[in-house]
Amino acid sequence: MREILEGHVKIPIAEAARRMKVSRPALYAVLNGTAAMTAEMAVRFARLTGGAPELYLNMQTGHDLEVAQQRLQGELADIEVSLTDATLEAVQAHGEGATASEVLNYLSREFGMTVRPSHLGMALQRHRRAGRLENRDQRWYLPHSAQAKQSA
């Protein structure tokens, strides 16, 4: 954002703060990353620069996500994925459909899960009833509409 002010709008930060009707310390804090971009600040900044407030909020969200992922990196590995989500991911990973055995192997290999075949069957059937999976010739597939979205 600092680059936008100094490079494109070409006004000093103190002048930008005055025009935006915010304090210089508040604007400096956002520009230095010591304060988060609020919706109000995004609207003010967008008005000054002619940009879209969503752009500045998305920049903040991207920054927040990156910081959180780095901070939680060790903890995230310890959070178990649900069988329901892991099952769907396993079928998605097999682009040409997957047998129940292939799904079990994927769950074991990628998530370290030991799953009873009956529990896997229930998870697969829940996805089928919800329209997230189809079963043809003993293989599980994403519905045609979901496959089209993935390839797009």
Side-chain angles (χ1 to χ4, degrees):
M1 289 180 34
R2 185 181 300 270
E3 297 84 28
I4 294 170
L5 280 181
E6 294 173 348
H8 299 289
V9 181
K10 297 185 180 178
I11 59 173
I13 294 170
E15 175 65 13
R18 187 188 66 72
R19 289 185 190 183
M20 292 170 59
K21 300 188 184 316
V22 298
S23 70
R24 281 184 313 177
L27 183 55
Y28 272 107
V30 170
L31 295 176
N32 293 333
T34 58
M37 171 65 73
T38 64
E40 183 177 309
M41 187 68 82
V43 170
R44 291 173 185 270
F45 197 80
R47 176 69 178 180
L48 177 71
T49 63
E54 296 85 2
L55 169 68
Y56 306 115
L57 289 175
N58 288 340
M59 289 169 69
Q60 181 68 51
T61 300
H63 172 74
D64 292 346
L65 282 171
E66 186 175 316
V67 168
Q69 286 174 330
Q70 289 174 358
R71 189 178 69 244
L72 298 173
Q73 191 171 10
E75 282 184 57
L76 293 177
D78 295 337
I79 298 174
E80 292 184 27
V81 177
S82 73
L83 175 59
T84 302
D85 292 341
T87 301
L88 190 58
E89 184 177 319
V91 173
Q92 288 172 336
H94 291 82
E96 297 179 10
T99 65
S101 178
E102 290 170 333
V103 171
L104 278 174
N105 289 337
Y106 186 90
L107 296 176
S108 174
R109 184 179 66 250
E110 297 298 322
F111 296 106
M113 292 180 159
T114 303
V115 180
R116 292 182 180 173
S118 60
H119 292 166
L120 174 63
M122 288 186 286
L124 290 166
Q125 290 300 331
R126 273 194 298 273
H127 284 304
R128 184 190 57 77
R129 285 191 299 275
R132 293 184 292 263
L133 291 178
E134 295 175 353
N135 186 277
R136 298 185 305 270
D137 301 323
Q138 302 298 311
R139 295 186 75 78
W140 291 93
Y141 299 87
L142 293 176
H144 291 296
S145 59
Q147 287 175 342
K149 286 180 189 174
Q150 267 196 333
S151 62

